[in-house]
Amino acid sequence: MDHPQPLVTVDAVLLTLRATGLEIALQPRGREPFKGAMALPGGVVHVDEDATTEASIRRVLRDKTGFEPRYLEQLQVFSGPDRDPRKWSLSVSYVALVPAAELEASTQAGFQFVSVDALPPLAFDHAAIVAAAVARLRGKSSYSTLPFFLLPERFTLTELQHTYEAILQTRLEKSNFRRKMEAWDVLQATEDYVLGAQRPARLYRLKDFTLFDRSVG
């Protein structure tokens, strides 16, 4: 007996940190349904081309934004008969953390940056996908190096602390924060400095450019 097949798509929440706080990059939809509405970058899985859904979202991001994020993590599956007016559908969603300069340089994408706490009406169930991505980031930031991926490859300790504060929405005591980073042993000092208000600030980098998760092990 034949059964109708669902529409299978992938969507990416591109999170970035700008002067006003944590934001996402959105694009207006160029076709129906929801033509003209703001939406997450996404597309249909190509079964004859994509080996996995991660391959799908990387292809979609290359095509629609011109780049691939350094950090990409599968979020969850959103599905049901009502999320897409065309048919029963499911979306395998991903969250990507991208330094603002990289997104802003992707001029071909036509991004609009919006605060995660002040979303406009979004196509499909993309608002729910964004909420899940933000909860994932904020939930994991207290015990992992996830916020590092919002920074450029080299950064100051002050920039790192401000990144954690913006995500966690709280002020962190400077000495406690730096002791925590030292205990994690994830930072590598470089030989480079940037001029600060009082004295040059050393630039650091993440030792191993993979996610350090204190909850594991």
Side-chain angles (χ1 to χ4, degrees):
M1 181 178 179
D2 292 335
H3 298 281
Q5 297 300 307
L7 178 66
V8 181
T9 63
V10 287
D11 293 293
V13 181
L14 302 181
L15 290 171
T16 193
L17 192 63
R18 303 174 83 221
T20 55
L22 191 61
E23 299 188 356
I24 57 169
L26 300 171
Q27 295 175 312
R29 279 186 58 80
R31 65 184 68 177
E32 297 292 351
F34 302 107
K35 183 177 181 179
M38 300 307 297
L40 300 172
V44 176
V45 171
H46 292 179
V47 295
D48 58 344
E49 179 181 353
D50 304 328
T52 63
T53 55
E54 181 172 332
S56 293
I57 194 61
R58 289 189 179 279
R59 171 184 53 77
V60 167
L61 289 175
R62 285 194 304 270
D63 292 346
K64 292 192 173 183
T65 70
F67 76 98
E68 287 189 54
R70 290 181 295 172
Y71 183 82
L72 184 70
E73 176 183 335
Q74 185 173 317
L75 184 59
Q76 66 184 75
V77 174
F78 291 79
S79 62
D82 301 321
R83 61 179 306 273
D84 189 317
R86 290 170 290 189
K87 61 189 304 187
W88 204 104
S89 71
L90 68 85
S91 170
V92 182
S93 62
Y94 288 81
V95 57
L97 305 184
V98 190
E102 291 185 21
L103 282 178
E104 291 165 354
S106 184
T107 54
Q108 75 177 67
F111 285 132
Q112 293 187 28
F113 296 97
V114 177
S115 168
V116 298
D117 298 311
L119 296 178
L122 301 183
F124 307 104
D125 54 357
H126 287 186
I129 299 176
V130 172
V134 173
R136 170 77 61 86
L137 173 60
R138 287 176 171 159
K140 293 179 70 171
S141 290
S142 62
Y143 59 81
S144 78
T145 56
L146 200 52
F148 281 66
F149 296 93
L150 291 169
L151 289 162
E153 184 176 352
R154 300 184 304 164
F155 47 82
T156 67
L157 292 179
T158 298
E159 290 172 332
L160 179 61
Q161 180 174 335
H162 288 170
T163 299
Y164 272 84
E165 290 175 335
I167 294 168
L168 297 172
Q169 299 178 304
T170 188
R171 293 291 299 274
L172 300 173
E173 202 280 321
K174 179 178 177 180
S175 60
N176 288 341
F177 176 78
R178 296 193 176 188
R179 279 197 296 269
K180 184 176 185 177
M181 292 298 111
E182 183 177 355
W184 283 2
D185 192 29
V186 294
L187 289 172
Q188 179 180 5
T190 73
E191 298 302 317
D192 299 318
Y193 294 79
V194 294
L195 295 178
Q198 298 178 341
R199 61 180 181 177
R202 184 186 288 271
L203 290 170
Y204 290 79
R205 63 187 301 167
L206 191 60
K207 278 185 179 180
D208 180 5
F209 220 73
T210 58
L211 178 66
F212 170 80
D213 188 339
R214 188 63 181 269
S215 71
V216 176

